[in-house]
Amino acid sequence: MDSTGRWLERGRPGYEEARRATVWNARVPDRYPDLVVQAASEADVQAAVRHAAAHGMRIGVCSGGHSWAANHVRDGGLLLDVSRLDPLEVDRVSMTATVGPGRKGDEMCASLAAEDLFFPAGHCRGVAVGGYLLQGGYGWNSRALGPACESVLGIDVVTADGAIVHADPENSPELYWAARGAGPGFFGVVTRFHVRVYEQPAVCGFSLYAYPIELLEDVYRWAHAIGPDVDRRVEVPILMSPSFTALDIHRPAIVIASPVFADSEKEARAALAPLETCPVRDRALLAVPYAPARLSDWYDAVMHAYPDQHRYATDNMWTSAPVEDLLPGLKRIADTLPPAPSHALWLNWGPSPLRQDMAYSLEDSTYIALYGVWSDAADDGRYADWAPSHMAAMASHASGIQLADENLGQRPARFATDTAMHRLDQARAVYDPDNRFHSWMGRA
Ligand SMILES: Cc1cc2nc3c(=O)[nH]c(=O)nc-3n(C[C@H](O)[C@H](O)[C@H](O)COP(=O)(O)OP(=O)(O)OC[C@H]3O[C@@H](n4cnc5c(N)ncnc54)[C@H](O)[C@@H]3O)c2cc1C
Protein backbone atom coordinates (compact mmCIF):
# COMPACT_ATOMS: atom_id res chain seq x y z
CA MET A 1 0.00 0.00 0.00
CA ASP A 2 1.34 3.48 -0.86
CA SER A 3 2.33 5.53 2.12
CA THR A 4 2.15 9.28 1.74
CA GLY A 5 1.32 10.14 5.33
CA ARG A 6 2.73 13.31 6.89
CA TRP A 7 4.47 13.48 10.26
CA LEU A 8 4.44 16.91 11.86
CA GLU A 9 6.37 17.57 15.05
CA ARG A 10 5.34 20.28 17.47
CA GLY A 11 7.09 23.53 16.65
CA ARG A 12 7.72 22.60 12.99
CA PRO A 13 5.98 24.19 9.98
CA GLY A 14 2.55 22.68 9.31
CA TYR A 15 2.09 21.31 12.84
CA GLU A 16 -0.43 23.88 14.10
CA GLU A 17 -2.44 23.74 10.88
CA ALA A 18 -2.55 19.94 11.16
CA ARG A 19 -3.57 20.05 14.84
CA ARG A 20 -6.35 22.55 14.15
CA ALA A 21 -7.58 20.57 11.17
CA THR A 22 -8.60 17.79 13.56
CA VAL A 23 -11.16 19.96 15.37
CA TRP A 24 -14.40 21.16 13.76
CA ASN A 25 -15.45 23.17 16.85
CA ALA A 26 -13.85 26.63 16.61
CA ARG A 27 -12.95 26.25 20.30
CA VAL A 28 -9.72 24.40 19.52
CA PRO A 29 -8.35 23.37 22.91
CA ASP A 30 -5.01 24.56 24.28
CA ARG A 31 -3.71 21.02 24.32
CA TYR A 32 -0.65 20.15 22.26
CA PRO A 33 0.42 16.65 21.20
CA ASP A 34 4.13 16.24 20.45
CA LEU A 35 3.47 14.78 17.02
CA VAL A 36 0.60 14.84 14.54
CA VAL A 37 0.50 12.04 11.97
CA GLN A 38 -1.83 12.39 8.97
CA ALA A 39 -2.21 8.80 7.82
CA ALA A 40 -2.88 8.11 4.17
CA SER A 41 -3.02 4.34 4.44
CA GLU A 42 -3.44 1.47 6.86
CA ALA A 43 0.35 1.01 6.73
CA ASP A 44 0.77 4.61 7.92
CA VAL A 45 -1.50 3.85 10.85
CA GLN A 46 0.59 0.79 11.76
CA ALA A 47 3.82 2.79 11.49
CA ALA A 48 2.44 5.56 13.72
CA VAL A 49 1.19 3.12 16.37
CA ARG A 50 4.54 1.28 16.40
CA HIS A 51 6.40 4.58 16.65
CA ALA A 52 4.24 5.57 19.62
CA ALA A 53 4.93 2.23 21.31
CA ALA A 54 8.67 2.52 20.71
CA HIS A 55 8.77 6.03 22.19
CA GLY A 56 6.32 5.55 25.05
CA MET A 57 3.78 7.95 23.54
CA ARG A 58 0.04 7.81 24.12
CA ILE A 59 -2.25 8.09 21.08
CA GLY A 60 -5.35 10.13 20.29
CA VAL A 61 -7.25 9.21 17.11
CA CYS A 62 -9.35 11.46 14.93
CA SER A 63 -11.58 10.75 11.92
CA GLY A 64 -13.94 13.65 11.16
CA GLY A 65 -12.98 15.89 14.09
CA HIS A 66 -16.60 16.36 15.21
CA SER A 67 -15.98 15.48 18.84
CA TRP A 68 -17.35 18.64 20.46
CA ALA A 69 -14.76 18.37 23.21
CA ALA A 70 -11.90 17.46 20.82
CA ASN A 71 -11.36 14.31 22.82
CA HIS A 72 -8.39 13.25 20.69
CA VAL A 73 -6.35 16.45 21.22
CA ARG A 74 -4.31 15.83 24.35
CA ASP A 75 -1.08 17.19 25.73
CA GLY A 76 1.97 15.22 24.63
CA GLY A 77 2.02 11.97 22.71
CA LEU A 78 0.79 11.36 19.19
CA LEU A 79 -2.34 12.60 17.45
CA LEU A 80 -3.27 10.26 14.63
CA ASP A 81 -5.53 11.77 11.96
CA VAL A 82 -7.18 9.06 9.84
CA SER A 83 -9.60 11.38 8.02
CA ARG A 84 -7.97 10.50 4.69
CA LEU A 85 -8.95 6.84 5.07
CA ASP A 86 -12.36 7.26 3.50
CA PRO A 87 -13.07 4.72 0.73
CA LEU A 88 -16.62 3.43 0.35
CA GLU A 89 -17.42 0.16 -1.40
CA VAL A 90 -20.99 -1.02 -1.70
CA ASP A 91 -22.18 -4.56 -2.44
CA ARG A 92 -25.79 -4.34 -3.43
CA VAL A 93 -26.21 -8.09 -3.59
CA SER A 94 -25.25 -8.72 0.03
CA MET A 95 -26.63 -5.31 1.13
CA THR A 96 -23.34 -4.50 2.81
CA ALA A 97 -20.66 -1.85 2.47
CA THR A 98 -17.13 -1.24 3.69
CA VAL A 99 -16.33 2.31 4.65
CA GLY A 100 -13.22 4.09 5.86
CA PRO A 101 -13.49 6.01 9.16
CA GLY A 102 -12.93 9.38 7.49
CA ARG A 103 -15.95 9.12 5.20
CA LYS A 104 -18.56 11.74 6.09
CA GLY A 105 -21.99 10.30 6.85
CA ASP A 106 -23.80 12.71 4.52
CA GLU A 107 -21.46 11.80 1.65
CA MET A 108 -22.00 8.13 2.37
CA CYS A 109 -25.78 8.65 2.28
CA ALA A 110 -25.54 10.52 -1.04
CA SER A 111 -23.49 7.69 -2.60
CA LEU A 112 -25.90 5.08 -1.30
CA ALA A 113 -28.94 7.05 -2.49
CA ALA A 114 -27.58 6.85 -6.04
CA GLU A 115 -28.12 3.09 -5.70
CA ASP A 116 -31.45 3.44 -3.87
CA LEU A 117 -29.76 2.46 -0.63
CA PHE A 118 -29.72 4.03 2.80
CA PHE A 119 -27.76 4.11 6.06
CA PRO A 120 -28.69 5.72 9.42
CA ALA A 121 -25.90 8.31 9.22
CA GLY A 122 -25.72 11.29 11.60
CA HIS A 123 -27.96 14.30 11.14
CA CYS A 124 -25.30 16.86 10.24
CA ARG A 125 -22.98 17.25 7.31
CA GLY A 126 -19.35 16.56 8.12
CA VAL A 127 -19.76 14.03 10.93
CA ALA A 128 -17.48 11.15 9.93
CA VAL A 129 -18.43 7.53 10.45
CA GLY A 130 -15.26 6.90 12.54
CA GLY A 131 -16.27 8.56 15.78
CA TYR A 132 -19.98 8.31 15.02
CA LEU A 133 -20.17 4.50 14.74
CA LEU A 134 -17.87 3.91 17.71
CA GLN A 135 -20.04 5.94 20.08
CA GLY A 136 -23.43 4.56 19.03
CA GLY A 137 -24.78 6.72 16.24
CA TYR A 138 -28.15 8.43 16.45
CA GLY A 139 -28.96 8.98 12.78
CA TRP A 140 -31.70 9.23 10.23
CA ASN A 141 -34.41 6.69 10.98
CA SER A 142 -32.41 5.39 13.97
CA ARG A 143 -35.53 4.97 16.09
CA ALA A 144 -36.53 2.25 13.63
CA LEU A 145 -33.11 0.95 12.51
CA GLY A 146 -31.39 1.28 15.88
CA PRO A 147 -28.29 3.25 16.78
CA ALA A 148 -26.01 2.94 13.74
CA CYS A 149 -23.51 0.75 15.61
CA GLU A 150 -26.12 -2.02 15.43
CA SER A 151 -25.52 -2.00 11.67
CA VAL A 152 -21.77 -2.60 12.08
CA LEU A 153 -21.01 -6.19 11.07
CA GLY A 154 -17.26 -6.08 11.59
CA ILE A 155 -14.27 -3.78 11.87
CA ASP A 156 -10.63 -3.74 10.80
CA VAL A 157 -8.50 -2.39 13.63
CA VAL A 158 -4.85 -1.55 14.15
CA THR A 159 -4.26 -2.64 17.72
CA ALA A 160 -1.76 -1.29 20.25
CA ASP A 161 0.98 -3.65 19.02
CA GLY A 162 0.59 -2.38 15.44
CA ALA A 163 -1.12 -5.54 14.14
CA ILE A 164 -4.18 -5.42 11.86
CA VAL A 165 -7.06 -7.38 13.33
CA HIS A 166 -10.44 -8.11 11.77
CA ALA A 167 -13.07 -8.24 14.51
CA ASP A 168 -16.61 -9.54 14.15
CA PRO A 169 -18.86 -11.91 16.14
CA GLU A 170 -16.56 -14.88 15.35
CA ASN A 171 -13.14 -13.21 15.31
CA SER A 172 -11.86 -11.16 18.26
CA PRO A 173 -15.45 -10.84 19.50
CA GLU A 174 -14.53 -8.73 22.54
CA LEU A 175 -12.91 -6.13 20.32
CA TYR A 176 -16.03 -6.12 18.13
CA TRP A 177 -18.24 -5.86 21.23
CA ALA A 178 -16.22 -2.90 22.54
CA ALA A 179 -16.08 -1.04 19.24
CA ARG A 180 -19.85 -0.69 19.24
CA GLY A 181 -20.27 1.83 22.03
CA ALA A 182 -16.84 2.57 23.52
CA GLY A 183 -16.72 5.80 21.51
CA PRO A 184 -13.83 8.06 22.47
CA GLY A 185 -12.56 5.42 24.91
CA PHE A 186 -11.90 2.82 22.20
CA PHE A 187 -8.43 1.26 22.42
CA GLY A 188 -7.38 0.73 18.80
CA VAL A 189 -7.56 2.50 15.44
CA VAL A 190 -10.47 1.46 13.24
CA THR A 191 -9.33 1.57 9.63
CA ARG A 192 -12.47 0.10 8.06
CA PHE A 193 -16.06 -0.61 9.06
CA HIS A 194 -18.10 -3.41 7.48
CA VAL A 195 -21.74 -2.36 7.66
CA ARG A 196 -25.23 -3.42 6.69
CA VAL A 197 -27.04 -1.07 4.32
CA TYR A 198 -30.77 -0.74 3.77
CA GLU A 199 -33.22 -0.09 0.96
CA GLN A 200 -33.92 3.59 0.50
CA PRO A 201 -37.31 4.29 2.14
CA ALA A 202 -39.91 4.89 -0.55
CA VAL A 203 -41.16 8.06 1.11
CA CYS A 204 -39.20 10.62 3.09
CA GLY A 205 -41.21 13.50 4.51
CA PHE A 206 -41.71 15.62 7.58
CA SER A 207 -44.08 17.65 9.71
CA LEU A 208 -43.15 21.02 11.19
CA TYR A 209 -44.73 22.95 14.06
CA ALA A 210 -43.55 26.02 15.95
CA TYR A 211 -44.98 27.24 19.25
CA PRO A 212 -44.29 30.38 21.28
CA ILE A 213 -41.93 29.55 24.13
CA GLU A 214 -44.58 30.70 26.63
CA LEU A 215 -46.41 27.43 25.85
CA LEU A 216 -43.44 25.40 27.08
CA GLU A 217 -45.33 23.49 29.77
CA ASP A 218 -48.18 22.47 27.45
CA VAL A 219 -45.82 21.42 24.69
CA TYR A 220 -43.46 19.30 26.82
CA ARG A 221 -46.29 17.69 28.82
CA TRP A 222 -47.91 16.66 25.56
CA ALA A 223 -44.61 15.55 23.96
CA HIS A 224 -43.81 13.45 26.99
CA ALA A 225 -47.26 11.84 26.92
CA ILE A 226 -47.24 10.89 23.22
CA GLY A 227 -43.57 9.82 23.26
CA PRO A 228 -43.96 6.07 23.74
CA ASP A 229 -46.69 5.80 21.10
CA VAL A 230 -45.15 7.68 18.19
CA ASP A 231 -44.35 5.34 15.30
CA ARG A 232 -40.62 4.50 15.44
CA ARG A 233 -40.20 5.63 11.82
CA VAL A 234 -40.87 9.18 13.02
CA GLU A 235 -38.19 11.22 14.77
CA VAL A 236 -39.48 13.80 17.24
CA PRO A 237 -36.75 16.37 17.90
CA ILE A 238 -38.06 19.40 19.82
CA LEU A 239 -35.83 22.45 19.63
CA MET A 240 -36.05 25.46 21.92
CA SER A 241 -34.13 28.56 20.80
CA PRO A 242 -34.34 32.37 21.03
CA SER A 243 -35.13 32.51 17.29
CA PHE A 244 -35.28 30.42 14.13
CA THR A 245 -34.40 32.86 11.39
CA ALA A 246 -34.45 30.20 8.65
CA LEU A 247 -38.15 29.73 9.48
CA ASP A 248 -38.69 33.50 9.73
CA ILE A 249 -39.37 33.15 13.47
CA HIS A 250 -37.71 36.03 15.28
CA ARG A 251 -38.82 35.33 18.84
CA PRO A 252 -38.16 32.58 21.39
CA ALA A 253 -39.94 29.49 20.18
CA ILE A 254 -40.21 25.72 20.31
CA VAL A 255 -39.90 23.97 16.95
CA ILE A 256 -40.86 20.36 16.35
CA ALA A 257 -39.51 19.20 12.99
CA SER A 258 -40.19 15.50 12.52
CA PRO A 259 -38.73 13.44 9.69
CA VAL A 260 -40.68 10.34 8.68
CA PHE A 261 -39.57 7.36 6.60
CA ALA A 262 -42.32 5.17 5.18
CA ASP A 263 -43.44 2.95 2.33
CA SER A 264 -46.13 5.32 1.08
CA GLU A 265 -47.34 8.86 1.61
CA LYS A 266 -50.46 7.50 3.26
CA GLU A 267 -48.36 5.65 5.82
CA ALA A 268 -46.16 8.70 6.36
CA ARG A 269 -49.15 10.94 7.02
CA ALA A 270 -50.64 8.38 9.40
CA ALA A 271 -47.35 8.05 11.30
CA LEU A 272 -47.15 11.85 11.71
CA ALA A 273 -50.78 12.21 12.79
CA PRO A 274 -50.01 12.28 16.57
CA LEU A 275 -48.02 15.49 16.00
CA GLU A 276 -51.33 17.19 15.18
CA THR A 277 -52.70 16.48 18.64
CA CYS A 278 -50.86 19.10 20.68
CA PRO A 279 -53.45 20.76 22.94
CA VAL A 280 -52.17 24.22 21.94
CA ARG A 281 -52.09 23.38 18.24
CA ASP A 282 -54.38 26.34 17.47
CA ARG A 283 -51.71 28.70 18.84
CA ALA A 284 -48.92 27.36 16.60
CA LEU A 285 -46.80 30.00 14.89
CA LEU A 286 -46.30 27.55 12.06
CA ALA A 287 -47.94 24.23 11.23
CA VAL A 288 -47.09 21.89 8.36
CA PRO A 289 -48.73 18.50 9.00
CA TYR A 290 -46.93 16.83 6.09
CA ALA A 291 -44.54 17.69 3.27
CA PRO A 292 -42.23 15.49 1.20
CA ALA A 293 -38.47 16.04 1.55
CA ARG A 294 -35.16 14.74 0.30
CA LEU A 295 -32.41 13.85 2.75
CA SER A 296 -30.20 16.57 1.25
CA ASP A 297 -32.90 19.15 2.13
CA TRP A 298 -32.94 17.85 5.67
CA TYR A 299 -29.18 18.18 5.96
CA ASP A 300 -29.44 21.78 4.73
CA ALA A 301 -32.14 22.54 7.28
CA VAL A 302 -30.33 20.97 10.24
CA MET A 303 -27.10 22.84 9.48
CA HIS A 304 -28.80 26.15 10.36
CA ALA A 305 -28.56 25.03 13.99
CA TYR A 306 -24.89 23.97 13.70
CA PRO A 307 -23.02 26.59 11.66
CA ASP A 308 -19.31 26.16 10.84
CA GLN A 309 -16.67 28.42 12.39
CA HIS A 310 -18.57 28.72 15.67
CA ARG A 311 -17.68 27.92 19.25
CA TYR A 312 -19.66 25.14 20.93
CA ALA A 313 -20.15 23.70 24.39
CA THR A 314 -22.55 20.78 24.79
CA ASP A 315 -23.85 18.39 27.39
CA ASN A 316 -26.76 15.97 27.62
CA MET A 317 -28.81 13.48 29.61
CA TRP A 318 -31.03 10.44 29.16
CA THR A 319 -34.10 10.37 31.35
CA SER A 320 -37.36 8.62 32.05
CA ALA A 321 -38.32 11.02 34.83
CA PRO A 322 -41.92 12.25 35.05
CA VAL A 323 -42.37 15.40 33.02
CA GLU A 324 -43.35 17.39 36.11
CA ASP A 325 -39.85 16.72 37.49
CA LEU A 326 -38.25 17.94 34.28
CA LEU A 327 -40.30 21.09 33.76
CA PRO A 328 -38.49 23.27 36.34
CA GLY A 329 -35.17 22.50 34.67
CA LEU A 330 -36.61 23.09 31.19
CA LYS A 331 -37.94 26.46 32.32
CA ARG A 332 -34.55 27.46 33.71
CA ILE A 333 -33.00 26.44 30.40
CA ALA A 334 -35.56 28.54 28.51
CA ASP A 335 -34.92 31.54 30.74
CA THR A 336 -31.17 31.41 30.20
CA LEU A 337 -30.87 30.45 26.52
CA PRO A 338 -27.80 32.08 24.97
CA PRO A 339 -28.38 33.79 21.61
CA ALA A 340 -29.42 31.68 18.62
CA PRO A 341 -28.45 29.31 17.19
CA SER A 342 -27.86 28.04 20.73
CA HIS A 343 -30.63 25.59 21.49
CA ALA A 344 -32.01 22.86 23.69
CA LEU A 345 -32.95 19.56 22.07
CA TRP A 346 -35.58 17.20 23.48
CA LEU A 347 -35.85 13.90 21.65
CA ASN A 348 -38.60 11.35 22.16
CA TRP A 349 -36.52 8.20 21.75
CA GLY A 350 -37.78 5.19 23.74
CA PRO A 351 -38.98 2.88 25.06
CA SER A 352 -35.88 1.00 24.05
CA PRO A 353 -36.28 -2.26 22.14
CA LEU A 354 -34.02 -5.19 22.99
CA ARG A 355 -30.57 -4.22 21.71
CA GLN A 356 -27.71 -6.39 20.50
CA ASP A 357 -25.03 -7.30 23.04
CA MET A 358 -22.51 -4.46 22.70
CA ALA A 359 -20.75 -1.80 24.74
CA TYR A 360 -23.49 0.65 23.82
CA SER A 361 -25.80 -0.18 26.68
CA LEU A 362 -27.43 2.91 28.09
CA GLU A 363 -30.39 4.74 26.64
CA ASP A 364 -33.72 5.90 27.97
CA SER A 365 -37.11 7.22 26.90
CA THR A 366 -36.15 10.87 26.48
CA TYR A 367 -32.94 12.53 25.42
CA ILE A 368 -32.16 16.13 26.36
CA ALA A 369 -29.09 17.89 24.96
CA LEU A 370 -27.96 21.50 25.18
CA TYR A 371 -25.85 23.25 22.57
CA GLY A 372 -24.28 26.59 23.45
CA VAL A 373 -23.20 28.25 20.20
CA TRP A 374 -21.34 31.55 19.86
CA SER A 375 -18.72 33.08 17.61
CA ASP A 376 -16.54 35.40 19.70
CA ALA A 377 -13.84 33.88 21.90
CA ALA A 378 -14.39 36.77 24.30
CA ASP A 379 -17.79 35.21 25.12
CA ASP A 380 -16.36 31.87 26.25
CA GLY A 381 -16.76 32.88 29.88
CA ARG A 382 -20.43 33.75 29.33
CA TYR A 383 -21.60 30.68 27.46
CA ALA A 384 -19.23 27.74 27.96
CA ASP A 385 -20.84 26.64 31.24
CA TRP A 386 -24.44 27.02 30.14
CA ALA A 387 -24.90 23.43 28.88
CA PRO A 388 -22.96 21.52 31.56
CA SER A 389 -24.30 23.60 34.45
CA HIS A 390 -27.93 22.96 33.48
CA MET A 391 -27.29 19.26 32.94
CA ALA A 392 -25.52 19.09 36.32
CA ALA A 393 -28.54 20.75 37.92
CA MET A 394 -30.86 18.14 36.37
CA ALA A 395 -28.54 15.17 36.99
CA SER A 396 -30.75 13.68 39.71
CA HIS A 397 -33.35 13.01 36.99
CA ALA A 398 -30.84 11.46 34.55
CA SER A 399 -30.15 7.78 33.99
CA GLY A 400 -26.93 8.73 32.23
CA ILE A 401 -25.65 10.49 29.14
CA GLN A 402 -24.89 9.52 25.56
CA LEU A 403 -21.43 9.87 24.09
CA ALA A 404 -22.50 11.86 21.03
CA ASP A 405 -22.83 15.18 22.85
CA GLU A 406 -20.66 14.38 25.84
CA ASN A 407 -18.53 16.83 27.76
CA LEU A 408 -16.76 14.35 30.01
CA GLY A 409 -13.67 16.49 30.56
CA GLN A 410 -15.84 19.16 32.15
CA ARG A 411 -18.56 16.95 33.65
CA PRO A 412 -17.84 13.21 34.01
CA ALA A 413 -21.05 11.16 33.79
CA ARG A 414 -22.24 7.60 33.29
CA PHE A 415 -22.62 6.53 29.63
CA ALA A 416 -22.75 2.71 29.84
CA THR A 417 -24.07 0.20 32.33
CA ASP A 418 -21.75 -0.82 35.17
CA THR A 419 -21.48 -4.29 33.64
CA ALA A 420 -20.50 -2.86 30.27
CA MET A 421 -17.93 -0.52 31.84
CA HIS A 422 -16.32 -3.42 33.69
CA ARG A 423 -16.21 -5.49 30.50
CA LEU A 424 -14.72 -2.54 28.58
CA ASP A 425 -11.95 -2.21 31.16
CA GLN A 426 -11.23 -5.92 30.88
CA ALA A 427 -11.09 -5.75 27.08
CA ARG A 428 -8.73 -2.77 27.24
CA ALA A 429 -6.44 -4.69 29.59
CA VAL A 430 -6.18 -7.44 26.95
CA TYR A 431 -5.90 -5.34 23.80
CA ASP A 432 -4.11 -2.28 25.15
CA PRO A 433 -2.21 -3.45 28.26
CA ASP A 434 0.11 -0.42 28.25
CA ASN A 435 -2.76 2.05 27.96
CA ARG A 436 -1.36 3.28 24.64
CA PHE A 437 -4.68 4.82 23.57
CA HIS A 438 -6.24 7.67 25.50
CA SER A 439 -9.35 6.76 27.45
CA TRP A 440 -12.47 8.88 27.91
CA MET A 441 -11.76 12.40 29.12
CA GLY A 442 -12.28 12.68 32.85
CA ARG A 443 -10.67 9.24 33.22
CA ALA A 444 -6.94 8.49 33.39
C1 LIG B 1 -22.38 19.34 14.17
C2 LIG B 1 -22.46 17.97 14.82
C3 LIG B 1 -23.57 17.18 14.61
C4 LIG B 1 -23.67 15.92 15.20
N1 LIG B 1 -24.77 15.15 14.95
C5 LIG B 1 -24.84 13.92 15.48
C6 LIG B 1 -25.96 13.06 15.23
O1 LIG B 1 -26.88 13.41 14.50
N2 LIG B 1 -25.98 11.84 15.81
C7 LIG B 1 -24.96 11.41 16.60
O2 LIG B 1 -25.02 10.28 17.08
N3 LIG B 1 -23.90 12.18 16.86
C8 LIG B 1 -23.82 13.42 16.33
N4 LIG B 1 -22.74 14.21 16.60
C9 LIG B 1 -21.70 13.69 17.48
C10 LIG B 1 -20.69 12.92 16.65
O3 LIG B 1 -21.27 11.77 16.10
C11 LIG B 1 -19.52 12.48 17.52
O4 LIG B 1 -18.85 13.62 18.00
C12 LIG B 1 -18.57 11.61 16.73
O5 LIG B 1 -17.59 11.12 17.59
C13 LIG B 1 -17.96 12.36 15.59
O6 LIG B 1 -17.21 11.51 14.79
P1 LIG B 1 -15.97 12.10 13.98
O7 LIG B 1 -15.22 10.97 13.41
O8 LIG B 1 -16.42 13.19 13.07
O9 LIG B 1 -15.19 12.81 15.16
P2 LIG B 1 -13.75 12.66 15.78
O10 LIG B 1 -13.63 13.89 16.61
O11 LIG B 1 -12.74 12.45 14.74
O12 LIG B 1 -13.84 11.38 16.68
C14 LIG B 1 -14.41 11.39 17.96
C15 LIG B 1 -13.60 10.45 18.84
O13 LIG B 1 -13.77 9.10 18.41
C16 LIG B 1 -12.54 8.41 18.47
N5 LIG B 1 -12.19 7.98 17.11
C17 LIG B 1 -12.49 8.64 15.96
N6 LIG B 1 -12.09 7.93 14.91
C18 LIG B 1 -11.53 6.80 15.38
C19 LIG B 1 -10.95 5.68 14.75
N7 LIG B 1 -10.85 5.55 13.42
N8 LIG B 1 -10.45 4.69 15.54
C20 LIG B 1 -10.52 4.80 16.89
N9 LIG B 1 -11.07 5.84 17.53
C21 LIG B 1 -11.58 6.85 16.78
C22 LIG B 1 -11.54 9.35 19.06
O14 LIG B 1 -11.48 9.11 20.45
C23 LIG B 1 -12.13 10.71 18.78
O15 LIG B 1 -11.78 11.68 19.73
C24 LIG B 1 -22.61 15.46 16.02
C25 LIG B 1 -21.50 16.26 16.24
C26 LIG B 1 -21.40 17.51 15.65
C27 LIG B 1 -20.20 18.36 15.89
Side-chain angles (χ1 to χ4, degrees):
M1 207 180 287
D2 283 347
S3 176
T4 50
R6 294 176 70 209
W7 292 48
L8 300 132
E9 282 175 42
R10 186 171 180 190
R12 309 289 293 212
Y15 166 90
E16 182 56 6
E17 195 187 349
R19 186 186 76 96
R20 288 184 166 268
T22 69
V23 187
W24 176 79
N25 187 346
R27 276 178 85 207
V28 180
D30 287 331
R31 300 190 293 265
Y32 295 87
D34 293 328
L35 177 65
V36 180
V37 175
Q38 296 176 334
S41 67
E42 210 166 42
D44 283 347
V45 175
Q46 289 182 283
V49 171
R50 288 185 175 134
H51 177 88
H55 294 84
M57 301 165 102
R58 298 196 76 190
I59 303 172
V61 188
C62 150
S63 291
H66 273 57
S67 160
W68 302 101
N71 170 79
H72 44 277
V73 182
R74 306 290 182 98
D75 281 322
L78 190 153
L79 170 54
L80 180 53
D81 177 350
V82 298
S83 59
R84 290 156 189 78
L85 272 56
D86 67 349
L88 171 68
E89 287 171 28
V90 182
D91 182 345
R92 216 188 183 298
V93 176
S94 63
M95 294 294 281
T96 60
T98 59
V99 58
R103 176 62 60 130
K104 312 285 191 278
D106 55 306
E107 295 169 3
M108 179 178 176
C109 278
S111 301
L112 290 174
E115 299 192 45
D116 269 338
L117 295 172
F118 182 82
F119 188 76
H123 294 98
C124 288
R125 294 192 197 283
V127 175
V129 299
Y132 173 77
L133 291 175
L134 285 168
Q135 46 107 34
Y138 305 85
W140 301 110
N141 211 11
S142 263
R143 288 189 71 228
L145 299 177
C149 63
E150 283 201 300
S151 297
V152 174
L153 302 169
I155 47 168
D156 297 345
V157 187
V158 174
T159 49
D161 55 3
I164 299 175
V165 173
H166 175 77
D168 63 21
E170 274 78 47
N171 307 286
S172 303
E174 278 305 284
L175 199 56
Y176 173 66
W177 177 88
R180 298 185 308 152
F186 187 61
F187 33 85
V189 189
V190 180
T191 54
R192 194 174 291 107
F193 293 88
H194 303 255
V195 299
R196 171 176 295 121
V197 296
Y198 301 87
E199 296 288 351
Q200 177 86 18
V203 170
C204 173
F206 68 98
S207 65
L208 178 65
Y209 301 87
Y211 294 97
I213 209 159
E214 296 75 21
L215 301 177
L216 180 152
E217 292 191 17
D218 300 280
V219 171
Y220 285 105
R221 277 199 187 104
W222 159 80
H224 191 268
I226 64 164
D229 302 323
V230 176
D231 190 312
R232 293 199 73 91
R233 296 168 302 172
V234 177
E235 299 177 35
V236 190
I238 304 181
L239 268 65
M240 182 159 64
S241 184
S243 65
F244 293 87
T245 45
L247 298 175
D248 209 16
I249 296 175
H250 305 279
R251 49 154 298 147
I254 299 171
V255 166
I256 309 170
S258 301
V260 61
F261 303 88
D263 292 335
S264 67
E265 185 179 319
K266 193 176 166 200
E267 268 185 30
R269 284 180 182 275
L272 290 173
L275 280 303
E276 269 285 292
T277 63
C278 184
V280 288
R281 163 72 175 77
D282 58 336
R283 295 170 69 186
L285 303 168
L286 196 65
V288 180
Y290 175 80
R294 290 172 308 178
L295 204 54
S296 55
D297 300 331
W298 265 104
Y299 273 119
D300 291 344
V302 173
M303 292 316 292
H304 288 291
Y306 305 97
D308 282 340
Q309 312 288 330
H310 278 63
R311 307 173 78 78
Y312 288 83
T314 62
D315 209 337
N316 74 86
M317 64 188 265
W318 284 115
T319 183
S320 55
V323 70
E324 296 306 324
D325 291 352
L326 300 173
L327 282 174
L330 292 168
K331 281 191 241 168
R332 282 195 302 272
I333 289 167
D335 289 343
T336 57
L337 276 165
S342 297
H343 60 279
L345 165 71
W346 164 297
L347 193 63
N348 280 352
W349 175 255
S352 169
L354 188 62
R355 297 278 177 226
Q356 297 172 24
D357 181 20
M358 53 188 176
Y360 172 93
S361 51
L362 197 159
E363 63 185 27
D364 212 333
S365 299
T366 302
Y367 180 64
I368 300 175
L370 304 184
Y371 306 84
V373 190
W374 65 101
S375 54
D376 189 346
D379 286 332
D380 285 6
R382 291 175 74 185
Y383 303 132
D385 282 338
W386 177 71
S389 64
H390 281 288
M391 291 295 91
M394 294 175 75
S396 63
H397 304 303
S399 43
I401 63 145
Q402 63 161 265
L403 288 174
D405 300 314
E406 84 283 0
N407 197 344
L408 296 174
Q410 199 171 343
R411 192 179 74 89
R414 179 173 183 262
F415 52 83
T417 63
D418 294 346
T419 310
M421 281 307 285
H422 180 63
R423 193 166 157 186
L424 274 168
D425 286 341
Q426 285 182 318
R428 176 183 277 266
V430 172
Y431 284 99
D432 185 13
D434 298 325
N435 232 4
R436 183 71 48 221
F437 293 96
H438 286 295
S439 180
W440 303 275
M441 293 178 86
R443 237 182 176 219

